[in-house]
């Protein structure tokens, strides 16, 4: 059997290719690929997330103030109503009759008063001619005062009757949303029959949230020192994970500490024109400094830690890796705020740090958006 011979040119080409692959492999081993991002000055305002509860500014149970049968229910459950809207009407016949009766008594009392005044004046004239005694004159004066007192009493009774008549129309005391009615037309209602419906005002609306006493005191101290501003932007995270578009304003800070939780109650007010925030709902309160805070920051994933503390791997202008010790003051929105150890523009490794070591050369690519 004749053995085939490999042409010399093919063998040389194979050797060159093998040497090329070896050189490329060696080069790849010497310069591993990493992703870097520059240390950047950015506005990272201090913030804190807390749990809050939505609370209606006004919420009342509507009750009947006089007894009677319901004649009308003038709303749809869940409807928005304005202040003064008639919600229920109680039969008012008996209350109108009571007003008319007292009006008649007042007319009689006014006539009695006029007669008593005439009698008093006549008695005083007769006294001058000594036709009657002083006792008769005094009696005439007393009758006038009695007539005046009766008239005052009856006018008071009329005011009360008018008030009871007005109570037969049960109206909304403020703008709000009515809930489910507890009584229908024909039902006998009165002061002891309980709430007929609940009226809730949702716009604007409050959100109350507890702040740990230690956190509150630290905040006050830093404001006094001028390290941060006293103002805060207040945002909300809704139960479904979305962010509420409207911003709030803090309008109350309690003057006492809750002994059970060692917290200070803070309240913010939010516009709620679309009734998205519902009374009693739990929300995430996001407090953020109102003034701009420019700080030096790097992506949080670039920061590593060992027994000596925090560090980053910096890639210099010659693509060499350097281990740099840093101080991280806080984390915010995926960024680590650097207070010491880095300068603006220095590139830190954000991806691929596990395959490099200080002193080697790397093939660095800038992260998207970096």
């Amino acid at each position: 059997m004749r053995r085939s011979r490999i042409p010399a040119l093919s063998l040389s080409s194979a050797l060159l290719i093998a040497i090329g692959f070896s050189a490329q492999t060696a080069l790849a081993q010497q310069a591993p690929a990493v992703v870097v991002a520059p240390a950047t000055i950015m506005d990272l305002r201090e913030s804190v997330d807390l749990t809050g509860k939505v609370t209606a500014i006004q919420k009342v149970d509507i009750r009947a103030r006089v007894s009677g049968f319901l004649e009308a229910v003038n709303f749809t459950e869940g409807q928005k109503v304005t202040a003064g809207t008639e919600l229920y009407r109680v039969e008012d016949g008996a209350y109108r009759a009571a007003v008319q009766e007292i009006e008649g008594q007042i007319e009689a009392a006014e006539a009695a008063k006029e007669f008593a005044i005439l009698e008093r004046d006549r008695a005083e004239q007769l006294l001058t001619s000594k036709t009657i005694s002083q006792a008769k004159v005094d009696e005439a004066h007393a009758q006038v005062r009695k007539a005046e007192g009766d008239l005052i009493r009856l006018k008071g009774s009329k005011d009360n009757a008018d008030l009871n008549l007005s109570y037969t129309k049960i109206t909304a005391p403020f703008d709000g949303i009515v809930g489910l009615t507890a009584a229908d037309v024909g039902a006998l209602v009165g002061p002891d029959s309980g709430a007929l419906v609940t009226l809730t005002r949702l716009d604007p609306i409050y959100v109350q949230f507890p702040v740990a006493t230690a956190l509150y005191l630290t905040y006050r101290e830093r404001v006094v020192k001028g390290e941060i501003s006293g103002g805060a932007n207040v945002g909300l995270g809704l139960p479904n994970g979305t962010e509420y578009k409207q911003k709030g304003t803090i309008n109350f800070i309690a003057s006492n500490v809750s002994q059970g939780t060692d917290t200070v109650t803070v309240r913010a007010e939010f516009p709620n024109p679309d009734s998205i925030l519902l009374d009693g709902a739990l929300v995430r309160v996001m407090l953020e400094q109102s003034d701009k805070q420019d700080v030096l920051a790097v992506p949080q994933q670039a920061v590593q830690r060992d027994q000596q503390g925090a560090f980053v791997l910096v890639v210099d202008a010659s693509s060499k890796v350097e281990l740099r010790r840093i101080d991280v003051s806080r984390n915010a929105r995926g960024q680590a705020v650097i207070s010491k150890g880095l300068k603006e523009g220095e590139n830190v490794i954000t991806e691929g740090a596990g395959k490099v070591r200080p002193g080697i050369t790397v093939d660095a690519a800038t992260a998207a958006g970096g």
Side-chain angles (χ1 to χ4, degrees):
M1 182 176 181
R2 186 176 180 181
R3 184 176 299 174
S4 62
R5 296 180 61 187
I6 300 176
L9 183 58
S10 298
L11 181 59
S12 299
S13 299
L15 289 174
L16 289 173
I17 292 172
I19 292 172
F21 278 134
S22 299
Q24 290 178 7
T25 303
L27 183 60
Q29 290 175 348
Q30 291 174 359
V34 295
V35 178
V36 299
T40 307
I41 299 292
M42 61 180 65
D43 179 16
L44 286 178
R45 308 177 193 194
E46 293 190 49
S47 63
V48 63
D49 287 0
L50 303 165
T51 299
K53 185 177 182 180
V54 179
T55 305
I57 288 181
Q58 291 176 293
K59 182 179 180 180
V60 296
D61 289 336
I62 304 297
R63 298 173 182 268
R65 302 181 72 172
V66 292
S67 297
F69 291 97
L70 275 186
E71 197 171 60
V73 178
N74 299 317
F75 64 88
T76 302
E77 294 170 324
Q79 173 187 348
K80 287 185 178 181
V81 297
T82 57
T85 299
E86 183 180 299
L87 303 178
Y88 297 95
R89 186 167 66 252
V90 178
E91 289 183 345
D92 62 0
Y95 298 99
R96 288 187 181 278
V99 171
Q100 292 175 350
E101 181 181 354
I102 294 174
E103 287 175 343
Q105 293 173 356
I106 288 174
E107 287 187 8
E110 287 176 340
K113 177 184 174 181
E114 291 176 0
F115 180 75
I117 291 173
L118 290 174
E119 288 292 311
R120 181 198 63 191
D121 294 344
R122 187 179 297 114
E124 288 178 345
Q125 290 175 359
L126 293 173
L127 180 63
T128 58
S129 61
K130 297 185 179 181
T131 305
I132 62 174
S133 66
Q134 181 65 47
K136 290 292 185 180
V137 175
D138 292 342
E139 183 180 348
H141 278 279
Q143 288 298 322
V144 172
R145 290 194 297 272
K146 180 179 181 300
E148 291 174 341
D150 289 343
L151 193 58
I152 292 172
R153 175 178 57 79
L154 288 171
K155 287 183 177 179
S157 296
K158 182 179 182 301
D159 289 342
N160 187 59
D162 286 337
L163 195 60
N164 286 335
L165 177 60
S166 70
Y167 288 157
T168 60
K169 293 183 178 180
I170 303 173
T171 60
F174 52 82
D175 296 352
I177 297 176
V178 287
L180 298 174
T181 182
D184 295 322
V185 173
L188 179 62
V189 298
D192 299 327
S193 59
L196 300 178
V197 72
T198 299
L199 178 66
T200 306
R201 182 183 178 188
L202 293 180
D203 183 31
I205 201 163
Y206 290 148
V207 174
Q208 291 187 187
F209 51 95
V211 178
T213 306
L215 180 61
Y216 175 69
L217 293 176
T218 300
Y219 160 77
R220 292 294 299 270
E221 289 175 357
R222 295 187 65 192
V223 171
V224 171
K225 292 178 181 178
E227 296 178 0
I228 57 175
S229 67
N233 296 323
V234 190
L236 291 181
L238 300 178
N240 64 355
T242 62
E243 186 172 336
Y244 187 57
K245 294 181 180 179
Q246 302 277 5
K247 297 298 181 182
T249 303
I250 292 176
N251 64 0
F252 172 78
I253 299 176
S255 58
N256 63 298
V257 175
S258 174
Q259 299 301 316
T261 59
D262 193 28
T263 58
V264 177
T265 298
V266 180
R267 186 182 70 194
E269 181 178 314
F270 287 83
N272 191 30
D274 299 322
S275 302
I276 293 176
L277 299 177
L278 300 178
D279 180 52
L282 294 179
V283 292
R284 180 168 55 93
V285 181
M286 300 173 289
L287 295 179
E288 181 186 69
Q289 280 290 300
S290 58
D291 291 349
K292 188 177 181 181
Q293 286 184 291
D294 288 330
V295 293
L296 183 66
V298 297
Q300 201 169 330
Q301 66 265 31
V303 179
Q304 303 182 61
R305 297 182 183 275
D306 59 16
Q307 293 180 348
Q308 298 181 46
F311 68 91
V312 291
L313 295 177
V314 177
V315 178
D316 62 18
S318 60
S319 297
K320 285 189 177 181
V321 177
E322 174 192 350
L323 187 149
R324 187 79 60 81
R325 294 290 171 181
I326 58 170
D327 289 341
V328 179
S329 59
R330 59 187 173 90
N331 295 315
R333 300 202 296 270
Q335 300 288 323
V337 177
I338 309 301
S339 57
K340 183 180 179 182
L342 277 179
K343 295 180 181 180
E344 183 182 4
E346 290 189 299
N347 289 315
V348 298
I349 297 177
T350 58
E351 295 181 31
K355 57 185 177 182
V356 302
R357 65 181 185 277
I360 71 169
T361 300
V362 294
D363 180 13
T366 304

